[in-house]
Amino acid sequence: MPRFIPYNYQQDTMVVINFEDQILPGTFEHALHFLIEHKLDLKAFHAAYKNTHEGRPAIDPAILLKIILFAYSRGITSSRHIQWCCQSNIIFKALSCDTSPDFTTIAAFVSGHASAIADLFEQIVLICHQQGLIGHDLIAIDGCKLPSNAAKEWSGTLDELTNKRGTLKERIARKLDEHQVNDKLPSCKQTQVRQRKLERTLQTLTAAHDKVAEFLGTAEPRQGQGTKRQEVKRNITDNESCKMKTSKGTVQGYNAIASVDSKYQIIIDAEAIGEGQEHHALIPVLERISARYQRLGFSQAIYDDGSIVTADTGYSNKSNLAYLHDNGIDSYVPDHQLRQRDPAFAEQKNKHKEKKPNKANENRLFSADDFHVDIKQQRCECPAGNSLTLIGNDKDQHGNHKLFFQGKLSQCRGCSLRSKCMRRPEAADNRNGHGRQVSFIVTPNTEKSEPVEWMKKRIDSSLGKQIYEERLAVVEPVFGNIRSNKRLDRFSLRGKEKVNGQWHLFSLVHNIEKISHYSNVSDNAMRTR
C-alpha cells in the first residue's frame, strides 16, 4: 500500500503574513499602493467626515481607494463582490490591511465623492507628466456610449409618458373589474390563487402608474443640442441619462468622453454626458484641458505651444470649427462628407450588392432639380413646360441669396402632372390657393462657411489624413482597454455627477496601469525623479 503525508483539517495553525510582501513590484497593485501611500494628497476626501470629536472611527479613504481601484482593474464593480474579495482574496487583504469594509460603505464612497475623485484624477495626470508619459504633441478626443443603471423602457417624451400613464390607468381599471368578478365566484383554492395573482399585478401596475405620475408632476421638456432643438426623451429612473444608438442597438446611458495624449495614451481629461450628440462638448473639453494645464504648470497656452487637437466627425459643426479657427488651434476635425471626397473610397459603393428599386421613389414629388432654371435670365420652367413667375429675389434665413418662383394657379389646376408636383393636389382647386413654389440658390452664404472650408482643406491634405489616422491609434485602444480588457463596460450608478465620478475611476485605472507599465515604480526611483 502506498504511503502519503498525513493531514488533518481539524488542526490549528498560525500563518504569519506580511501584507507588503504580497504586493509584488511591477504589478498594478504595487503602483496603486505606492502612489496612494507616498504621492497622492487625499485631503479632498477628508472634508466629508464629521467624526473629529465624536462618532466611531471610519475606514481610511486610502484603504477604500486601493480596494475599489484594484477591483475595477479586475472588472469588479459590485460593492458586495468587493466586500467578499476583501474577506477571501490575499491581494485585497494586503491592500486593505485585512479590513473588510461593508458593501454599503464601499457603495457610498464611490457615489459620494465625485469631486474628490476628479481631484485625484488630476493628481495622477500630474504624476504622469512628471514621469514623462505625456508628450503634449497630439490630443485625441472621442467618446464611447456606455449603458447605465436605468431601463430604456422607462424613457420617452412628456407626451409619450403621458400616454404611458393613461395606458397603465386603463390596465388598472381592467384588473379591478376582473378582481370584482372573481369576488363573486364561489370560494375555492383556484379562485384564491387567481385573486392573489391579481392583487400582485395591481400593486405592480399601481406603483408604475404612481411613478410616472410623480415624474410628470415635476418634469419639464428638455430640448436637444441639435439645430432642430427637438425634445429629448426623458428617463424616469435616471433623468440625466439618455437613449443612444450604438452598433449593438439602443442603450440607456451616458456618453463617456476621453481626451487622450498620443505619447503613452494617457487620459488627460474625462467627462460623462447624458446626450448622444457630442458636438456641444468639444469647446468645454478644450477649455477644461487648457485650464488644467495652467493649474498644473504644464503650459500657460497649450494650443499655442504646438499641440495638435483631433476629434471624430461627431464634434464637427459650424460653432466648433469657428472656435478652432478663431483661436488658431492646430486641429483636425473631419466633416461627414470626408469619405465622399476621398478617392480611396470611390469604388466602395460598387462593392456592395445592387439595391432593389425603392417603390417610394417612384411616387416621389418633383424636386427643384426637376425644374429648368436660368439664373442669369431669372427664368424657371416646370417639368410640364410651363413658365413660373419670379416672386422673390432676396436672402433666406441662412444668408443665402435665392430666387423664389411660383407657378400660376390656372396652369397648375389643369396640369396632368400636379399629383407628382404638389403635396396637396386638391389645393389647386381652391381659389385662395397658389401654384407650386420652388427656390434656387444664386450665391451661397460664405461668411459662416469659412471655418468649414478651412477645416476641409486641412483634413483633405496628406498631413491631415495622416494625423486623423493617428487619432484612431491613440483613442480607440483606450476604450478597448477599459471596456474589453477591464470589462468596465457599463455604469452602475445613476445621475450625471455620480456617473462622472465613476468614469473618472475607470480613467484612473487606465492611467495607473500605464504608470505601472512604463514608469520605474519603486520607492527610490519615484522619489529621485
Side-chain angles (χ1 to χ4, degrees), residues 41-62:
D41 183 4
L42 305 182
K43 291 181 181 178
F45 294 91
H46 297 169
Y49 296 90
K50 309 297 182 183
N51 60 345
T52 304
H53 303 293
E54 59 184 6
R56 64 179 296 181
I59 296 178
D60 197 313

Side-chain angles (χ1 to χ4, degrees), residues 160-389:
E160 291 172 347
L161 292 176
T162 301
N163 294 334
K164 187 179 184 70
R165 180 181 59 181
T167 302
L168 289 170
K169 192 173 182 178
E170 292 175 0
R171 292 181 62 187
I172 291 173
R174 288 198 300 269
K175 291 297 179 183
L176 284 173
D177 293 340
E178 187 177 348
H179 195 283
Q180 293 176 357
V181 171
N182 287 336
D183 281 341
K184 299 177 181 180
L185 297 176
S187 179
C188 63
K189 186 176 181 180
Q190 185 177 3
T191 304
Q192 293 175 358
V193 171
R194 188 183 299 114
Q195 288 291 75
R196 285 196 297 269
K197 185 177 180 180
L198 279 171
E199 290 175 359
R200 289 195 298 268
T201 304
L202 277 170
Q203 291 177 357
T204 303
L205 292 175
T206 303
H209 175 271
D210 294 343
K211 184 178 180 180
V212 177
E214 182 182 359
F215 178 80
L216 290 173
T218 57
E220 295 180 358
R222 186 175 68 180
Q223 304 300 324
Q225 298 290 339
T227 55
K228 296 183 179 180
R229 305 290 294 176
Q230 296 179 345
E231 183 182 355
V232 177
K233 292 188 176 183
R234 318 292 293 275
N235 186 270
I236 297 177
T237 308
D238 184 0
N239 192 27
E240 294 182 298
S241 66
C242 72
K243 256 185 176 181
M244 301 178 295
K245 292 183 179 180
T246 67
S247 59
K248 298 181 179 180
T250 303
V251 299
Q252 183 74 37
Y254 288 82
N255 196 343
I257 299 176
S259 304
V260 185
D261 184 85
S262 62
K263 186 174 182 180
Y264 282 98
Q265 297 173 335
I266 299 296
I267 301 175
I268 59 175
D269 185 78
E271 183 190 21
I273 60 174
E275 292 94 14
Q277 295 180 341
E278 304 167 318
H279 54 78
H280 66 282
L282 180 62
I283 296 177
V285 167
L286 295 176
E287 293 177 346
R288 200 162 50 242
I289 293 173
S290 178
R292 174 172 291 128
Y293 274 39
Q294 291 177 10
R295 281 196 306 270
L296 299 179
F298 297 172
S299 172
Q300 294 302 313
I302 181 62
Y303 306 122
D304 294 336
D305 294 342
S307 292
I308 299 173
V309 175
T310 177
D312 200 1
T313 55
Y315 299 90
S316 177
N317 66 2
K318 290 184 178 180
S319 59
N320 287 343
L321 298 183
Y323 178 86
L324 297 171
H325 177 268
D326 297 342
N327 289 275
I329 299 177
D330 190 3
S331 54
Y332 296 87
V333 183
D335 57 286
H336 295 279
Q337 284 75 38
L338 172 64
R339 290 192 172 184
Q340 297 179 9
R341 299 191 307 270
D342 194 341
F345 296 94
E347 300 297 328
Q348 186 177 19
K349 294 182 179 180
N350 298 331
K351 295 181 181 179
H352 298 282
K353 295 181 179 179
E354 293 184 1
K355 295 182 180 180
K356 295 181 179 180
N358 191 351
K359 293 183 179 180
N361 291 335
E362 298 177 359
N363 300 324
R364 71 173 181 85
L365 296 176
F366 291 136
S367 65
D369 295 335
D370 297 313
F371 287 72
H372 306 285
V373 63
D374 188 339
I375 298 297
K376 292 183 179 181
Q377 300 294 329
Q378 297 186 353
R379 293 178 181 176
C380 181
E381 190 178 279
C382 72
N386 298 320
S387 297
L388 279 71
T389 304

